[in-house]
Amino acid sequence: MRIAIVGGGISGLVTAYRLRQSLGASADLILIDQRDRLGGILHTTDIEGDPVDLGAEAFVGRRPEIPALMRELGIEDQLVHPAGKRPLVWSGGTAHPLPGNTLMGIPASSESLAGLVDAETIARVAAEPSRPLNWGRGADISVGALVADRFGEQVVRRSVDPLLGGVYAGTADSIGVRAALPTLAAALDAGAQSLTQAVREALPPPSTTPVFGGIRDGYRALLDALEVAADVKVETGTAATRLTRAGAGWLLDPIGEVDAVVLATPAPVTAALLRDIAPDAAEIASGIQLASSAVVAMALPAATELPDNSGILVATGEPLRAKAFTLSSRKWPHLAARDVALVRASFGRFGDDSLLAWQDAELIQAAVDDLTTVTGANIRPLSAVVQRWRGGLPQYAPGHTARIADLRSATADLAGLALAGAYLDGVGVPACAASGTAAAARIHASLA
């Protein structure tokens, strides 16, 4: 039995691992990736002699997938949690506390926005429950359109955009309510009389479980453990160029004939590979757009006077080039123990790929200048590393959930084929891992 997994990110590696578990040692598993390494947009490098993540550096701790996976792989001792410090929002040339009691920046009350927005907006948010809400069950619009209509543009740009930008490298205008905020959509569908009420109903219940988790030695520790446990033949620097039927199986160029194939690839790559066998599915996948971004990771002298916060998010419209800073040594206790202060600067929003043309020195200087502006500190990096992510994050536009349902319907009859990846059911690491598990289960059922 020969199975090909296209895409060596977390989705593809989890797929390979789950297939090895279910099919046993006799299965011939081949994983190919056009990059020269595994991990996709998870990437750990060394800065000043210690590991630092240049892609995602945390996962939602209240989802079970990653802690469970780490336990299975015997690396549960790598699990770490943030210090619990809150981020700031840079707006109007000043740092403000990130509003509390919000759902991805959408407030449950006007009080949490005090100081961040003007008095007129505060009054508008406070009065919102008295305004009729027109929401059709099953509707989907952009988060920006909904929040601007109910609470005003300042709430969108100063509270919602900074948070959504960190997740999707987009803005509230490019992200749909139903895919990004399913609990909010459910509350609205259930008949909430106002956005304020819907947010209150959609907020998760109080919990002592940490919101986020991380990996002490970076995602490299998880990726390496998955590769070993999957016992998969890896071919990096190899791009899949065409997928066609071959009898009861598949012909994947340049791998050859296989009994089954998993496409754990970005939406445009998936679309290209589906073109010959499922043109309708390919057309659906090709409509999912991507955003590019870049990260500048800096090691600063340990004595650098940084705020005692987990990070600084930048409101839309500010005259800065960076969209956010993670004050890694403040956020993570295990990083605070190092001999340097670690900071990550994030750049890039959907619709603007210009940063990909910047030289490394330009990105580093922009990070230094903007960090100086928002902290007032003397920023002198001991070292800095630049990582560009071209097309790294899919945009969950309005109608995304319906689009994915149509995509699954259009590929349902293709026995021995499964899809996985960040464009399906969530961009976070747990969601990607879950997509890999689901893809493996589909292949196992098909072969059985």
Side-chain angles (χ1 to χ4, degrees):
M1 188 177 301
R2 194 167 188 246
I3 303 171
I5 300 109
V6 186
I10 186 70
S11 303
L13 281 167
V14 169
T15 301
Y17 169 60
R18 295 303 184 195
L19 284 172
R20 179 61 69 203
Q21 286 182 306
S22 63
L23 299 178
S26 63
D28 183 10
L29 304 181
I30 306 155
L31 188 152
I32 70 170
D33 195 292
Q34 62 184 355
R35 298 178 188 265
D36 60 1
R37 60 170 183 81
L38 296 180
I41 60 170
L42 300 180
H43 183 39
T44 309
T45 193
D46 289 337
I47 297 179
E48 296 294 307
D50 290 303
V52 174
D53 279 315
L54 299 179
E57 46 107 41
F59 55 83
V60 177
R62 291 175 180 172
R63 287 193 59 150
E65 291 88 351
I66 301 305
L69 194 57
M70 293 173 70
R71 285 192 296 273
E72 288 180 42
L73 296 169
I75 59 169
E76 63 267 37
D77 61 327
Q78 287 274 343
L79 181 63
V80 293
H81 297 290
K85 301 179 189 296
R86 296 278 294 172
L88 301 170
V89 177
W90 183 262
S91 178
T94 304
H96 305 265
L98 180 73
N101 198 32
T102 73
L103 184 70
M104 196 59 74
I106 308 174
S109 67
S110 60
E111 290 81 3
S112 62
L113 298 171
L116 182 61
V117 299
D118 62 23
E120 181 181 349
T121 300
I122 291 288
R124 180 171 180 172
V125 175
E128 189 267 342
S130 65
R131 293 172 50 212
L133 174 66
N134 297 316
W135 176 269
R137 183 179 175 84
D140 197 14
I141 61 174
S142 75
V143 176
L146 174 64
V147 177
D149 175 61
R150 303 302 297 179
F151 291 156
E153 196 73 17
Q154 284 189 10
V155 178
V156 177
R157 303 308 162 207
R158 300 181 186 183
S159 184
V160 182
D161 268 358
L163 287 163
L164 281 177
V167 176
Y168 297 97
T171 67
D173 298 331
S174 65
I175 304 300
V177 172
R178 194 160 294 278
L181 300 168
T183 58
L184 181 65
L188 292 166
D189 286 348
Q193 297 299 299
S194 67
L195 181 56
T196 300
Q197 179 188 343
V199 170
R200 287 175 179 162
E201 293 174 357
L203 283 170
S207 171
T208 57
T209 303
V211 177
F212 297 107
I215 301 177
R216 187 185 64 236
D217 293 332
Y219 273 107
R220 180 168 60 198
L222 176 60
L223 300 172
D224 289 349
L226 279 170
E227 182 182 358
V228 170
D231 189 22
V232 59
K233 180 183 178 183
V234 173
E235 296 188 15
T236 53
T238 303
T241 55
R242 191 182 184 202
L243 179 65
T244 55
R245 274 292 194 186
W250 301 91
L251 179 61
L252 178 67
D253 293 337
I255 297 301
E257 290 192 20
V258 294
D259 297 293
V261 61
V262 176
L263 302 182
T265 45
V269 178
T270 302
L273 291 171
L274 290 174
R275 192 73 60 192
D276 290 338
I277 58 170
D280 290 344
E283 185 65 25
I284 295 167
S286 66
I288 299 172
Q289 296 182 288
L290 307 179
S292 299
S293 61
V295 171
V296 177
M298 298 179 288
L300 310 176
T304 304
E305 295 183 358
L306 298 172
D308 192 25
N309 298 89
S310 62
I312 304 169
L313 309 176
V314 179
T316 300
E318 293 298 305
L320 299 176
R321 288 142 306 176
K323 67 178 181 183
F325 296 93
T326 303
L327 305 180
S328 304
S329 294
R330 299 282 193 262
K331 181 175 181 178
W332 299 99
H334 70 288
L335 298 181
R338 296 186 183 177
D339 295 332
V340 295
L342 295 168
V343 176
R344 296 185 353 152
S346 300
F347 296 83
R349 292 187 187 277
F350 175 66
D352 182 9
D353 289 347
S354 60
L355 64 92
L356 296 174
W358 292 13
Q359 299 297 312
D360 284 5
E362 294 177 294
L363 278 167
I364 292 170
Q365 191 60 54
V368 168
D369 292 345
D370 287 355
L371 185 58
T372 299
T373 297
V374 300
T375 65
N378 182 21
I379 305 300
R380 295 182 180 275
L382 301 171
S383 59
V385 176
V386 174
Q387 176 67 55
R388 293 172 182 78
W389 297 113
R390 184 182 297 273
L393 284 169
Q395 297 301 285
Y396 278 40
H400 184 81
T401 53
R403 182 177 293 110
I404 296 306
D406 291 343
L407 176 62
R408 288 193 166 113
S409 177
T411 55
D413 294 334
L414 298 175
L417 174 80
L419 307 179
Y423 66 93
L424 292 171
D425 301 306
V427 299
V429 177
C432 290
S435 80
T437 296
R442 174 175 164 86
I443 295 298
H444 183 235
S446 176
L447 295 174

